[in-house]
Amino acid sequence: AIDASGATVLPLAEALEALHAGRTLPETALAITFDDAYESIAEAAHPLLRARGWPYTIFVNPEPIDRRHGGFLSWDQLRQLATEGVTIGNHGLRHDYMVRGESQGLPAPASPAYEAYLEGQVLEAQARIDAELGAQPKLFAYPFGEFAPELKAWLRARGYAAFGQHSGPLWIGSDPQALPRFPASGIYGALDGLRPKLTMKAPAATMESPASMILPREVGRPTLRFTLRFPEAHRGPVQCYLSGQGAIPTERDDGQVEARAPAALPLGRSRFNCTTQGPEGRWHWLSQPLLRLP
């Protein structure tokens, strides 16, 4: 699918640096990432990617590697991949639910102990990665794609770009600590579903609601509100979708877009997805992750 699309595959850090600097990227540019450092990356994916000259990033949890858990790449294997141009990113020391607090026996984001917890999960992990492989870019992938305002602010203050697991293209206005990624595995791995995503663009939009991925406990039916910065570029309709509820009523008043959940969300992760066409006929996709806690 990537070959057929004519996409330019860039190192992740290079693509982010270009966006941050406002430099123009190729019309269809993408970066490839893997989470969790499974052995299958080296066995199955690496030979195919290397043959095409495509760079990629692996986000790793150092603790399972240090404890030699089965199924994970070793530091020696990662070191060899790094010498071949693979970037190694930070996925947390362990694979914790980092924002679920007491329900997981962990400090809550607003608690005094949370900063010390993050120092262990992020900085200790980065120290292990850099010690084994040499200094790597400050790239962080949230375990399970879950983040809170406190976690985002902490990473921002320490110079990390951070990725969730909600779908969507990057653009110059993307939140550097809530960057989307299109999944391309499991139920999302079919080529007929992946092909159109490779040509998606992000609408220039300002998110107004919800203010955080984590919904207040009393909010079961969240409302999505955002403003299209260039409404004249999107003369057609905007349609929003919600996990488990399909297409939902979506109202648009020039650049103002609003969509409300018709029914209460279940506990756990969900997301709004909204699509619209631009003047060039390409689809634009905006995604907002949600997390409803008990």
Side-chain angles (χ1 to χ4, degrees):
I2 296 174
D3 279 327
S5 73
T8 301
V9 181
L10 299 175
L12 182 58
E14 179 182 318
L16 293 177
E17 182 182 357
L19 285 174
H20 180 73
R23 296 198 302 271
T24 301
L25 291 171
E27 182 67 16
T28 303
L30 60 86
I32 298 171
T33 68
F34 296 90
D35 286 358
D36 305 330
Y38 293 124
E39 286 181 329
S40 59
I41 298 170
E43 295 168 353
H46 181 73
L48 298 174
L49 297 174
R50 188 182 184 194
R52 291 165 172 80
W54 290 346
Y56 65 94
T57 297
I58 305 174
F59 290 102
V60 309
N61 306 108
E63 187 171 287
I65 299 172
D66 285 336
R67 294 185 177 184
R68 299 184 179 181
H69 289 182
F72 291 94
L73 294 166
S74 68
W75 288 119
D76 284 342
Q77 289 173 304
L78 288 167
R79 194 173 296 111
Q80 178 60 38
L81 292 176
T83 65
E84 297 178 20
V86 178
T87 299
I88 308 302
N90 190 334
H91 203 28
L93 187 65
R94 300 182 298 272
H95 205 282
D96 286 355
Y97 287 94
M98 295 181 69
V99 301
R100 298 203 184 197
E102 290 88 345
S103 65
Q104 300 293 319
L106 303 171
S111 70
Y114 194 59
E115 182 165 346
Y117 167 73
L118 294 182
E119 289 176 355
Q121 281 300 301
V122 180
L123 300 187
E124 185 176 339
Q126 193 70 52
R128 288 293 298 121
I129 292 168
D130 292 349
E132 293 285 350
L133 309 172
Q136 299 294 308
K138 287 188 174 182
L139 303 171
F140 188 82
Y142 299 110
F144 306 102
E146 297 180 2
F147 49 87
E150 295 88 348
L151 176 52
K152 286 175 54 183
W154 190 91
L155 290 168
R156 183 182 308 115
R158 287 154 183 82
Y160 281 88
F163 292 82
Q165 291 181 6
H166 52 299
S167 293
L170 302 183
W171 69 291
I172 195 170
S174 294
D175 183 339
Q177 285 73 47
L179 297 167
R181 294 182 289 173
F182 286 118
S185 62
I187 62 173
Y188 303 106
L191 293 182
D192 57 351
L194 179 60
R195 287 190 186 98
K197 295 176 182 176
L198 298 178
T199 60
M200 290 279 185
K201 296 184 72 174
T206 301
M207 186 65 63
E208 297 164 10
S209 174
S212 167
M213 176 183 184
I214 301 178
L215 298 174
R217 283 179 168 80
E218 66 274 12
V219 176
R221 296 172 57 202
T223 298
L224 177 72
R225 295 189 188 91
F226 62 90
T227 300
L228 295 169
R229 298 189 186 182
F230 307 104
E232 67 278 3
H234 302 279
R235 289 301 182 188
V238 178
Q239 178 61 62
C240 294
Y241 305 80
L242 185 57
S243 302
Q245 299 185 29
I248 61 175
T250 307
E251 298 180 3
R252 175 179 176 180
D253 181 6
D254 193 21
Q256 307 296 312
V257 179
E258 179 172 309
R260 187 181 183 195
L265 295 176
L267 298 180
R269 294 187 298 277
S270 304
R271 63 186 176 189
F272 285 109
N273 286 308
C274 299
T275 57
T276 181
Q277 279 189 303
E280 75 287 5
R282 287 173 66 177
W283 285 98
H284 292 227
W285 185 341
L286 178 146
S287 183
Q288 171 61 40
L290 306 165
L291 177 60
R292 191 177 179 205
L293 298 174

